[in-house]
Amino acid sequence: GRTPVYSITGIIPFRARFDGKQRIEEILRGVQPLGKPTTFFQSILWTGVLWFFNLAGFYAIGLAFDFQGVDLVLWTILSVSLISLSVAIPVSFAGIGAYQMAVIIAGGMVGMEMVDSLVLGITVHGVTILTFVLWGIISMGLMGMSWGRMVSLYSEVQTQPNP
């Protein structure tokens, strides 16, 4: 008989190049922990915390550039929302290009000059990447993990067969 996963992947035209069944199974395995109320509410809480700091960071950088006649609150909300949509489907390494275009579009929507939007997009993206790197290094240190150990764990996971 056909499983629901097969039925979904059977209608995807590029299934020969893209192992849809495996991807769907991975997604279902990934969201399975959200079935526990505690895990679900913790994920909602930490997502909210992340969004708050992301919005605050965007707004602070916008204030630092001191653009006149621009609604920075609206620009911040539009930018973060469009960036979230633009990086949902990865098209480049670290979202470079898509990220900046989302900020340019948001800037255009609030009347910001394109070059100002581009500068803000590059600056905010750079600050975001550096922040993730910094917190990643701090987390690795707190967990007592070296770069080499992390790479070896990744290699082990990649060579294990899927259950």
Side-chain angles (χ1 to χ4, degrees):
R2 291 184 174 186
T3 65
V5 171
Y6 175 81
S7 299
I8 294 169
T9 59
I11 60 173
I12 299 174
F14 55 93
R15 68 183 179 272
R17 291 179 290 149
F18 177 78
D19 186 0
K21 181 178 183 220
Q22 180 181 347
R23 296 295 162 248
I24 291 171
E25 287 173 352
E26 289 170 352
I27 290 169
L28 292 174
R29 259 195 325 268
V31 298
Q32 191 174 20
L34 296 177
K36 297 182 213 167
T38 305
T39 306
F40 176 77
F41 288 115
Q42 284 177 346
S43 68
I44 297 297
L45 170 74
W46 288 110
T47 300
V49 168
L50 175 69
W51 271 81
F52 171 78
F53 282 106
N54 202 356
L55 290 167
F58 259 80
Y59 186 73
I61 290 172
L63 284 176
F65 278 89
D66 194 30
F67 292 114
Q68 302 300 318
V70 174
D71 184 349
L72 286 179
V73 172
L74 182 59
W75 170 78
T76 298
I77 293 168
L78 286 170
S79 291
V80 172
S81 300
L82 289 173
I83 287 167
S84 296
L85 291 173
S86 72
V87 299
I89 299 174
V91 293
S92 64
F93 178 73
I96 296 172
Y99 194 103
Q100 286 72 22
M101 184 54 71
V103 176
I104 290 171
I105 291 169
M109 294 170 93
V110 297
M112 191 179 289
E113 294 291 324
M114 185 185 296
V115 71
D116 294 339
S117 293
L118 177 60
V119 168
L120 276 170
I122 291 169
T123 303
V124 170
H125 200 191
V127 168
T128 301
I129 290 170
L130 289 174
T131 302
F132 281 125
V133 168
L134 175 67
W135 283 111
I137 290 169
I138 291 169
S139 298
M140 285 173 57
L142 290 173
M143 292 178 4
M145 184 174 293
S146 69
W147 179 259
R149 177 71 180 134
M150 187 174 70
V151 170
S152 70
L153 285 172
Y154 177 77
S155 297
E156 289 174 20
V157 169
Q158 292 301 314
T159 57
Q160 291 177 354
N162 286 330

